[in-house]
Amino acid sequence: MCGSEGLTKPEKVSTFSQENVFRIFRPSDTVRMKSYPSESQESLMSASPEAVTTSRSPAAALTGRWQPVGLGQARITGGFWAPRQLRNGEQAIPSGQGQLESAGNLHNLRLAAGIGEGEAIGPVFADSDVYKWLEAVAWEYARNPSEDLLERQRELTAIVADAQREDGYLDSVVQLRYGDEGRYQQLVWSHEHYCAGHLIQAAIAQVRCTADRGLLEVAIKLADHLVANFGDDKTVDVDGHPVIEMALVELYRETGTQAYLDLARWFVEARGHGIISNHGHEPTYFSDRVPVREAATVEGHAVRAVYLAAGATDVALETGDAELLEALKTQFAHMWATKTYLTGGLGARWEGEAFGDEHELPSDRAYAETCAAIGGIQWAWRMLLATGDAKYADAIERMLYNGFLAGVSLAGTEYFYVNPLQLRGAAHADNNRSPAHGRRGWFDCACCPPNIMRTLASLDGYLASTSADALQLHQYAEGAVAADLPGRGSVGLKVETAYPWDGAVRLTVEQTVDGPWAVELRIPQWAEGATVNGTPTEAGEYARIEREWSVGDVIELQLPMATRVVAADPRVDAVRDCVALERGPLVYAVEQSDQQADVDDLHLLPEASVASSYDPELLDGVTVLTARGRAGTGHQAGAWPFEPGRTDQVGDEVEITAIPYYAWANREVGAMRVWLPRG
Amino acid sequence: MCGSEGLTKPEKVSTFSQENVFRIFRPSDTVRMKSYPSESQESLMSASPEAVTTSRSPAAALTGRWQPVGLGQARITGGFWAPRQLRNGEQAIPSGQGQLESAGNLHNLRLAAGIGEGEAIGPVFADSDVYKWLEAVAWEYARNPSEDLLERQRELTAIVADAQREDGYLDSVVQLRYGDEGRYQQLVWSHEHYCAGHLIQAAIAQVRCTADRGLLEVAIKLADHLVANFGDDKTVDVDGHPVIEMALVELYRETGTQAYLDLARWFVEARGHGIISNHGHEPTYFSDRVPVREAATVEGHAVRAVYLAAGATDVALETGDAELLEALKTQFAHMWATKTYLTGGLGARWEGEAFGDEHELPSDRAYAETCAAIGGIQWAWRMLLATGDAKYADAIERMLYNGFLAGVSLAGTEYFYVNPLQLRGAAHADNNRSPAHGRRGWFDCACCPPNIMRTLASLDGYLASTSADALQLHQYAEGAVAADLPGRGSVGLKVETAYPWDGAVRLTVEQTVDGPWAVELRIPQWAEGATVNGTPTEAGEYARIEREWSVGDVIELQLPMATRVVAADPRVDAVRDCVALERGPLVYAVEQSDQQADVDDLHLLPEASVASSYDPELLDGVTVLTARGRAGTGHQAGAWPFEPGRTDQVGDEVEITAIPYYAWANREVGAMRVWLPRG
């Protein structure tokens, strides 16, 4: 209905050089463009530099503030992740475009662009799925450039550009359903800023990875429209769903335009004062009960909460706001200690897709939305760069290998929206997101699939960072990492490892500079007994190896891969007297297909020893754990309630077989549990 | 908008005699009007009388099919329930009318009646709250007749009658929002049959309790409209929310019109074939995955499921459908064993207000909607009358004193929508139904408050039943019960008891007939060691005392009131290694106000003995339980996950004080839990 008359089409830059591509590749993170110094950077550097240093972190002596190593400079080339990225690029992303077509997302944008006739289809935030998909295409292009990807990108970017209104406004569903007078009238639910945020993130990925400024021009026009419309002396309102905060800070980093950072900060500060309450949900749902800088925990809708926190961390980083960063440290710590699943899953509740209360972490009804794990990784990454504290890299690892990775099938094209830690055998699906359905190709609310695509495609960007004299490795993956040490030139390491199946990581210097510099290696908290070149090193910190390096020098990191039997905080009522199995970064689960007894009532013997063996044929190759357990006794005789401790019979001893949690529901969708009762 | 032109106003019968009132009083149950013999009655009597007899129930030798003793003949006059009924009548019901006014429910009906201007307000099922309130007024009038109640009834009945369309159709919100062409077009969500069902139930209560046929005329016209529109050769569709099934059977009992029973049966049979699936929720939500007669459990939305089951039980009773009744027995047993809280609460999930999977019974996120407890009582009552099995009366008792009663404040005018078995200290409300708010005066979706009102007002009707030669007492309350033994005259008992605080129940014969007849007394399953006139009797059955009685004869029933420490089925993961305290019919809870230590982390010593004492000043008078426990150790030091079994310190021994669960959140809304970890 809304035509495209008068829309300015941005100039498209489709030429690029391979060299250029790799120089500017990096994920959508806390990278500041050096060509755009700003006031806030100066204030950070001079007025309160401690704001984002790490005086209380274990790694404080080693680190200052870290800069991420972007895609291209950090490269995954094999091992655990490469085939997953390959499937993402070859299967998931092309299939995603088809899903966006058939679900109507592209239809909406085309209508808004004046092409075709009809009405908007689907949820009000439909555009955002297109933008996340475009972001995935751009990152994927950085990993594996192809004309096909560029063609897909050009096609969809053109539609988006044509859908934009002349004054910069863009939201196809609002344009079609509510017209110009409907703009920003129901921000609590309209997701207009949310869509804008994902558009901006996609645009930044696109210009960084393909040098195409097409989407960036759209994003800048839209950001300028937001700047013109929101603020203390303009419209005082915030979007029900955060993400615009992260996006505007990144756009500030990309363009140097101070107004974007200012607006991001304004959106962060405006929240928590009840602007968006009284809309059917309570303020808690929208992270609107308490201002971010006063909050002591995360609450409400989990994805919203962690996206907001990630954006607030960006604001703190760029403005040198020490108080805000301290508040975010407190919130992250409280979330991690009391509201995070063993899998790193975030959000205990289906109702409101929300964080529960402290220690409310049911296994069966865990919501643990895949998008929340992604948002958690994004937040932790910013906290890591801000503080240099290894615990944030540990958190990324836990979320990445478990809560996030379970969200996608081994084939790469089916997705879990929710990621419980238990499914009972008799479960019936009563919701299209129910895990009893198994993973699905798409959803009515399809936030997760393209979010997974962009995360897998940009994963290389979470491996490493640099400081003045050091290169930090946070995640271990087969590949290579290179970075510039400021004023000294490039250093580079080759990484060889079968992690997470094997704890040996062999690093070979491929590029070096004159004089000493350091390699800093995260030793995970779980890796008690780790060694670097045979020397024991502390877990939960960065091992720093500083010397003058020659090309060909080798560092041998050994992370112990003993199986761990672990327990939860005793206040987590839902898993009282239960244990779980972990090995390396992986949380394990027992799945009905592998068991001799009913998983719903399966116990691990208290003194059971756990054996491990790698099975290259199973589930694309996994290390399997086995231990002695016993079948449950089933229900007691007679009517409940029962006498405590009465056991009518003792179940048979059985062998329990556990597989990595991420791999569950790839054979059949049956009973599964992470936490096992002892006894 | 829809005017009242041409509407026929039913004649109102406002005269009545006290004698007449009491003769016809009974709750909306399985009473057949003897003045309307019907074909189905004959078929029941002759063709398959065993269909609803109880050959496999423990009480089979004692009972046939039981007839309820209605209000007036069964009377609560003191003790535990009378003050609650008094507050319901004097405070809640009058205040309810104000709430219906301010929430817009009456506004909608007035608009539909052509009075005033505007648009419909509130949810599509708004009319149903008015009907439940009218039903409560009628039952309350039976207990405590007043001109004020009659005046309120007349006023609202007149509005309802005026709102009805000439052809019998009635649903104010659909009339106002969708017009004639919108009728029955979206039954999955429109609740048109649901509203009709509550109207019919109110009308039956009204004619039985006040002899006013005003609402009955409206109900009959509406029922005739349904009969004319639904069936195999008409519209094949069912309402997303059951209740019409129960209502139509009762209207058949009231009027003898076979078509109402036939339509009720048709609605029951039409369900479970996917008529209402594919509407955003899966068929499970609507109890539409499996036909009622094939289902082995209850699932989906809990209130819908139990209302449907209650209606199906009515159909089985009236049609002599043995197969259907057997299926319902199986479903009830499975629900009770695997999907029912210790409190009798039904519905584990917030999402979809639904039953969870087997043994999915979290304490903290228990939904356990007050309306589901009410529906559970209604279903159990019908199963009791059909089978004579004491377990259904036990179930009513558990639901009534715990899951239902917690839904209303001691003052009688504030309500819980959801009834969890645990609230943590740091809980924040993120939903208007959140228990962290405490009880509330009304809700946007206000199904529960008027449902509570009608249940409290008609509670007398659940006390007793009769068979050919016996009077059964199912619930023990201070008062009197009288009934006609067919062809022999009236028998009557006075009931004196301080139940549930004291287990002594003294029954005195007040009326008798020539020759022997029996008193049958439910001995609750929990009452091991009960005696009747000093003689031990079996728990979980009816004790039958048969003799020739004289006025003044006394029966002394002694139900042991020892405190019980109870455990759940070991497959209920959420309360592993926990115990709860019970005394008599009451489940107990520990509330922060009474404790020396943090309820979130409070343990009961394994060998703790429990003391009880009655405190007349506390919470309107309750028996308090005390036992030794210990404070928790809080969280372990260091980062999680932890080593299993590691305890950094042992908490202090403390005294634990427990109050009846129903009484929680009447002082402050703080931490509460029913299940306590042992240790």
Side-chain angles (χ1 to χ4, degrees):
Chain A
M1 302 297 177
C2 298
S4 61
E5 59 281 4
L7 286 184
T8 306
K9 296 193 182 174
E11 185 194 354
K12 300 211 183 58
V13 184
S14 58
T15 57
F16 60 96
S17 73
Q18 190 71 7
E19 182 194 36
N20 199 26
V21 166
F22 281 95
R23 185 164 300 151
I24 59 170
F25 283 168
R26 61 214 141 199
S28 177
D29 289 308
T30 57
V31 180
R32 177 192 301 277
M33 289 295 282
K34 293 187 182 61
S35 53
Y36 297 101
S38 70
E39 285 175 24
S40 75
Q41 185 178 28
E42 288 177 3
S43 73
L44 179 68
M45 294 303 177
S46 56
S48 60
E50 293 81 6
V52 288
T53 61
T54 56
S55 54
R56 267 167 292 184
S57 92
L62 310 181
T63 66
R65 180 181 166 214
W66 292 339
Q67 297 290 330
V69 174
L71 277 72
Q73 291 197 288
R75 279 171 289 139
I76 296 170
T77 57
F80 183 80
W81 289 106
R84 290 176 164 79
Q85 292 186 307
L86 191 69
R87 284 177 218 127
N88 187 55
E90 293 191 348
Q91 306 295 330
I93 290 176
S95 128
Q97 186 173 357
Q99 298 280 11
L100 292 168
E101 196 65 79
S102 59
N105 306 61
L106 297 178
H107 161 89
N108 294 343
L109 282 161
R110 282 201 198 92
L111 285 185
I115 304 162
E117 290 188 358
E119 294 182 352
I121 295 173
V124 70
F125 44 82
D127 289 355
S128 65
D129 296 333
V130 176
Y131 303 145
K132 280 189 276 194
W133 182 88
L134 275 168
E135 187 186 336
V137 167
W139 300 126
E140 179 59 23
Y141 185 83
R143 293 191 58 263
N144 191 17
S146 77
E147 190 56 35
D148 175 64
L149 284 171
L150 277 192
E151 191 48 51
R152 292 173 185 274
Q153 175 176 300
R154 283 190 206 112
E155 179 195 345
L156 267 65
T157 298
I159 298 170
V160 173
D162 287 348
Q164 186 169 38
R165 302 287 285 155
E166 194 169 5
D167 63 358
Y169 181 86
L170 174 56
D171 187 304
S172 77
V173 180
V174 172
Q175 289 166 218
L176 295 166
R177 288 195 187 141
Y178 308 107
D180 283 355
E181 46 310 330
R183 296 176 176 186
Y184 307 136
Q185 294 304 299
Q186 304 180 65
L187 266 180
V188 61
W189 289 124
S190 72
H191 290 71
E192 287 159 285
H193 293 179
Y194 173 78
C195 290
H198 279 302
L199 169 63
I200 292 167
Q201 291 181 330
I204 291 167
Q206 188 173 109
V207 74
R208 288 182 185 168
C209 299
T210 72
D212 190 331
R213 293 182 58 84
L215 206 57
L216 186 65
E217 298 296 338
V218 177
I220 287 172
K221 275 180 68 178
L222 178 51
D224 290 343
H225 193 261
L226 295 179
V227 167
N229 279 278
F230 290 89
D232 283 332
D233 51 351
K234 303 161 201 168
T235 302
V236 175
D237 203 357
V238 296
D239 195 282
H241 200 315
V243 90
I244 188 66
E245 302 82 359
M246 266 192 277
L248 284 172
V249 176
E250 202 63 29
L251 190 61
Y252 156 73
R253 290 179 181 131
E254 184 62 30
T255 63
T257 305
Q258 180 69 27
Y260 302 149
L261 176 60
D262 292 345
L263 185 58
R265 178 166 49 184
W266 187 86
F267 282 141
V268 168
E269 302 290 3
R271 219 171 186 92
H273 302 283
I275 292 180
I276 46 178
S277 61
N278 297 317
H279 291 278
H281 282 271
E282 311 253 327
T284 305
Y285 174 82
F286 303 103
S287 299
D288 191 37
R289 193 178 63 87
V290 184
V292 178
R293 68 173 62 249
E294 295 171 22
T297 187
V298 288
E299 61 185 28
H301 189 278
V303 179
R304 295 170 196 242
V306 293
Y307 278 14
L308 175 64
T313 308
D314 274 336
V315 168
L317 270 164
E318 295 303 328
T319 61
D321 189 331
E323 180 188 79
L324 183 57
L325 187 64
E326 281 304 313
L328 290 160
K329 286 183 195 173
T330 300
Q331 292 161 33
F332 193 99
H334 191 263
M335 172 183 83
W336 202 253
T338 72
K339 299 184 179 180
T340 302
Y341 283 98
L342 192 67
T343 56
L346 303 175
R349 295 183 181 173
W350 277 68
E351 177 74 15
E353 310 186 308
F355 284 107
D357 294 324
E358 292 176 16
H359 305 116
E360 178 193 325
L361 293 165
S363 290
D364 45 9
R365 293 295 285 175
Y367 200 72
E369 185 179 338
T370 307
C371 285
I374 292 169
I377 290 169
Q378 292 177 351
W379 184 20
W381 178 240
R382 285 156 178 76
M383 295 300 287
L384 176 66
L385 296 174
T387 66
D389 190 333
K391 75 180 179 191
Y392 297 112
D394 280 359
I396 290 171
E397 181 177 74
R398 185 172 288 278
M399 294 188 274
L400 186 62
Y401 280 91
N402 304 288
F404 163 73
L405 189 55
V408 57
S409 66
L410 294 180
T413 48
E414 292 83 36
Y415 311 97
F416 269 140
Y417 197 114
V418 305
N419 296 281
L421 282 72
Q422 177 181 17
L423 184 72
R424 292 190 181 80
H428 292 302
D430 65 351
N431 188 292
N432 64 20
R433 286 163 280 158
S434 170
H437 277 302
R439 293 182 186 83
R440 309 192 109 183
W442 211 247
F443 299 93
D444 293 345
C445 173
C447 49
C448 298
N451 219 359
I452 292 169
M453 293 175 203
R454 68 175 183 146
T455 304
L456 281 172
S458 63
L459 198 59
D460 312 52
Y462 294 97
L463 299 184
S465 64
T466 54
S467 53
D469 70 343
L471 178 61
Q472 295 88 31
L473 281 191
H474 307 297
Q475 307 300 334
Y476 300 108
E478 180 97 0
V481 176
D484 286 336
L485 296 184
R488 295 175 65 188
S490 282
V491 298
L493 295 171
K494 183 170 69 175
V495 185
E496 294 168 287
T497 182
Y499 195 83
W501 311 123
D502 189 290
V505 183
R506 181 185 171 90
L507 307 166
T508 307
V509 176
E510 294 192 312
Q511 278 185 285
T512 187
V513 293
D514 291 338
W517 57 278
V519 175
E520 295 175 350
L521 303 174
R522 178 180 63 97
I523 312 300
Q525 180 70 51
W526 52 261
E528 296 279 348
T531 61
V532 176
N533 291 335
T535 306
T537 184
E538 284 294 305
E541 298 183 0
Y542 284 83
R544 178 178 169 95
I545 310 103
E546 184 174 16
R547 49 173 285 199
E548 289 190 34
W549 299 93
S550 303
V551 169
D553 283 353
V554 168
I555 304 171
E556 296 273 8
L557 170 65
Q558 279 287 351
L559 299 170
M561 284 288 167
T563 304
R564 306 185 302 281
V565 179
V566 302
D569 186 298
R571 288 171 296 184
V572 180
D573 297 284
V575 295
R576 174 163 291 108
D577 207 22
C578 287
V579 292
L581 302 177
E582 295 189 331
R583 183 177 181 276
L586 299 176
V587 173
Y588 276 70
V590 296
E591 199 174 20
Q592 193 61 61
S593 333
D594 300 309
Q595 313 311 319
Q596 300 161 356
D598 183 2
V599 163
D600 291 348
D601 198 15
L602 190 59
H603 302 245
L604 189 70
L605 293 183
E607 309 305 328
S609 64
V610 185
S612 66
S613 64
Y614 183 76
D615 183 344
E617 303 301 320
L618 185 64
L619 297 164
D620 286 358
V622 293
T623 295
V624 170
L625 305 183
T626 51
R628 297 301 290 174
R630 70 167 178 82
T633 56
H635 63 149
Q636 298 177 311
W640 65 269
F642 302 105
E643 279 177 51
R646 204 185 79 185
T647 304
D648 293 309
Q649 63 182 93
V650 174
D652 295 333
E653 268 206 30
V654 293
E655 180 159 274
I656 292 176
T657 301
I659 59 164
Y661 168 74
Y662 75 75
W664 88 280
N666 273 291
R667 294 169 294 183
E668 59 170 19
V669 184
M672 179 279 295
R673 63 191 305 161
V674 167
W675 290 101
L676 289 165
R678 288 192 302 173
Chain B
M1 302 295 179
C2 297
S4 62
E5 60 280 3
L7 287 184
T8 306
K9 296 193 183 173
E11 184 192 356
K12 300 213 182 56
V13 183
S14 58
T15 56
F16 60 96
S17 73
Q18 190 72 7
E19 182 193 36
N20 198 27
V21 165
F22 281 96
R23 185 164 302 152
I24 60 170
F25 283 169
R26 60 214 141 199
S28 175
D29 289 308
T30 57
V31 179
R32 178 189 301 276
M33 288 296 282
K34 293 187 180 61
S35 52
Y36 296 100
S38 69
E39 285 175 26
S40 74
Q41 185 176 28
E42 287 177 4
S43 73
L44 180 69
M45 294 304 176
S46 56
S48 59
E50 293 79 8
V52 289
T53 59
T54 56
S55 55
R56 268 166 291 184
S57 93
L62 309 181
T63 65
R65 179 179 166 215
W66 292 341
Q67 298 289 331
V69 175
L71 278 72
Q73 291 197 289
R75 281 172 288 137
I76 296 170
T77 58
F80 183 80
W81 288 106
R84 290 176 164 80
Q85 293 186 306
L86 191 70
R87 284 176 218 129
N88 186 54
E90 293 193 347
Q91 307 294 330
I93 290 175
S95 130
Q97 186 173 356
Q99 298 280 11
L100 292 168
E101 196 64 80
S102 58
N105 307 60
L106 297 177
H107 160 88
N108 294 343
L109 283 161
R110 282 201 199 93
L111 284 186
I115 305 162
E117 291 188 357
E119 294 182 350
I121 294 174
V124 71
F125 44 83
D127 289 357
S128 65
D129 296 333
V130 175
Y131 303 146
K132 280 189 277 194
W133 181 88
L134 274 169
E135 188 186 335
V137 167
W139 299 127
E140 179 60 22
Y141 185 84
R143 293 190 58 264
N144 192 19
S146 77
E147 190 56 36
D148 175 64
L149 283 171
L150 276 192
E151 191 48 51
R152 292 173 185 274
Q153 174 178 300
R154 282 188 206 113
E155 179 195 344
L156 267 64
T157 297
I159 297 170
V160 172
D162 287 347
Q164 186 170 38
R165 303 286 286 155
E166 194 168 6
D167 62 0
Y169 181 87
L170 175 55
D171 186 303
S172 76
V173 179
V174 172
Q175 289 167 219
L176 295 166
R177 289 197 185 139
Y178 308 107
D180 283 355
E181 43 317 323
R183 294 176 177 187
Y184 307 136
Q185 293 304 298
Q186 304 179 65
L187 266 180
V188 60
W189 289 126
S190 71
H191 290 71
E192 285 160 285
H193 293 179
Y194 173 78
C195 290
H198 280 300
L199 169 63
I200 292 167
Q201 291 181 329
I204 292 167
Q206 189 173 109
V207 75
R208 288 184 185 167
C209 298
T210 72
D212 189 332
R213 292 184 57 85
L215 207 56
L216 186 65
E217 297 296 339
V218 177
I220 287 172
K221 273 180 68 178
L222 178 51
D224 290 343
H225 193 262
L226 295 180
V227 167
N229 279 279
F230 290 89
D232 282 332
D233 52 350
K234 304 163 199 166
T235 302
V236 176
D237 203 358
V238 296
D239 195 282
H241 200 316
V243 90
I244 187 67
E245 301 82 0
M246 267 192 279
L248 284 171
V249 176
E250 201 65 28
L251 191 61
Y252 155 74
R253 292 179 180 131
E254 183 63 30
T255 64
T257 305
Q258 179 70 27
Y260 303 148
L261 176 60
D262 292 344
L263 185 58
R265 178 165 51 182
W266 188 85
F267 282 141
V268 168
E269 302 289 3
R271 220 172 185 89
H273 303 282
I275 293 180
I276 47 177
S277 62
N278 297 315
H279 291 279
H281 282 271
E282 312 252 328
T284 305
Y285 175 82
F286 303 103
S287 298
D288 191 36
R289 192 177 64 86
V290 184
V292 177
R293 70 172 61 248
E294 296 171 20
T297 187
V298 288
E299 60 185 29
H301 189 278
V303 178
R304 295 170 196 242
V306 294
Y307 278 14
L308 175 65
T313 308
D314 275 336
V315 168
L317 270 163
E318 295 303 328
T319 61
D321 188 332
E323 180 188 81
L324 183 57
L325 187 64
E326 281 304 313
L328 290 159
K329 286 183 194 172
T330 300
Q331 292 160 34
F332 193 98
H334 191 262
M335 173 183 83
W336 202 253
T338 72
K339 301 184 179 181
T340 302
Y341 284 98
L342 191 67
T343 55
L346 303 174
R349 296 183 180 172
W350 277 68
E351 178 73 16
E353 310 187 308
F355 283 108
D357 294 324
E358 292 176 14
H359 305 115
E360 178 193 325
L361 293 165
S363 291
D364 44 10
R365 293 295 286 175
Y367 200 72
E369 184 179 338
T370 307
C371 285
I374 292 168
I377 290 167
Q378 293 177 351
W379 184 19
W381 178 240
R382 285 155 178 77
M383 294 299 288
L384 176 66
L385 296 175
T387 66
D389 188 335
K391 74 179 179 191
Y392 298 111
D394 279 359
I396 290 171
E397 180 177 73
R398 185 172 288 277
M399 292 188 275
L400 186 62
Y401 281 92
N402 303 289
F404 163 73
L405 189 54
V408 58
S409 66
L410 294 181
T413 48
E414 293 83 36
Y415 311 97
F416 270 139
Y417 198 114
V418 304
N419 296 281
L421 282 73
Q422 176 181 18
L423 184 72
R424 292 190 181 79
H428 292 300
D430 64 350
N431 188 293
N432 64 18
R433 285 163 281 158
S434 170
H437 278 301
R439 294 181 186 84
R440 308 192 110 183
W442 210 249
F443 299 92
D444 293 345
C445 173
C447 49
C448 298
N451 218 359
I452 292 169
M453 293 174 201
R454 68 175 182 146
T455 304
L456 281 172
S458 63
L459 197 59
D460 311 52
Y462 294 98
L463 299 184
S465 65
T466 55
S467 53
D469 70 343
L471 178 60
Q472 295 87 31
L473 281 190
H474 308 297
Q475 308 298 334
Y476 300 109
E478 179 97 1
V481 176
D484 285 336
L485 295 184
R488 297 175 63 190
S490 283
V491 298
L493 296 170
K494 182 170 69 174
V495 185
E496 295 168 285
T497 182
Y499 195 83
W501 311 124
D502 190 288
V505 183
R506 181 185 171 91
L507 306 166
T508 308
V509 175
E510 293 193 315
Q511 279 184 284
T512 187
V513 293
D514 291 339
W517 56 279
V519 175
E520 296 175 346
L521 302 174
R522 178 180 63 98
I523 312 300
Q525 180 68 52
W526 53 260
E528 296 279 348
T531 61
V532 175
N533 290 336
T535 306
T537 185
E538 284 294 305
E541 298 183 0
Y542 285 83
R544 179 179 169 94
I545 309 102
E546 184 173 15
R547 49 175 283 197
E548 290 191 33
W549 298 94
S550 303
V551 169
D553 283 351
V554 169
I555 304 172
E556 297 273 8
L557 170 65
Q558 279 287 351
L559 299 171
M561 284 287 168
T563 303
R564 306 185 302 282
V565 179
V566 303
D569 186 297
R571 289 170 297 185
V572 180
D573 297 284
V575 296
R576 174 163 291 108
D577 208 22
C578 288
V579 292
L581 303 177
E582 294 189 331
R583 183 177 182 278
L586 299 176
V587 173
Y588 275 70
V590 296
E591 199 175 21
Q592 193 62 60
S593 334
D594 300 308
Q595 313 312 317
Q596 300 160 356
D598 183 2
V599 163
D600 290 347
D601 198 14
L602 190 60
H603 302 245
L604 189 69
L605 293 184
E607 308 305 328
S609 64
V610 185
S612 66
S613 64
Y614 184 76
D615 183 344
E617 301 301 320
L618 185 65
L619 297 163
D620 286 358
V622 293
T623 295
V624 170
L625 304 182
T626 51
R628 297 301 289 174
R630 69 168 178 81
T633 56
H635 62 150
Q636 298 176 311
W640 65 269
F642 303 104
E643 280 176 51
R646 205 185 78 185
T647 304
D648 294 309
Q649 63 181 94
V650 173
D652 295 333
E653 271 206 28
V654 293
E655 180 158 276
I656 291 177
T657 302
I659 60 164
Y661 169 74
Y662 76 74
W664 88 280
N666 274 290
R667 294 169 294 183
E668 59 170 19
V669 184
M672 179 280 293
R673 63 190 306 161
V674 167
W675 291 101
L676 289 165
R678 290 191 301 172

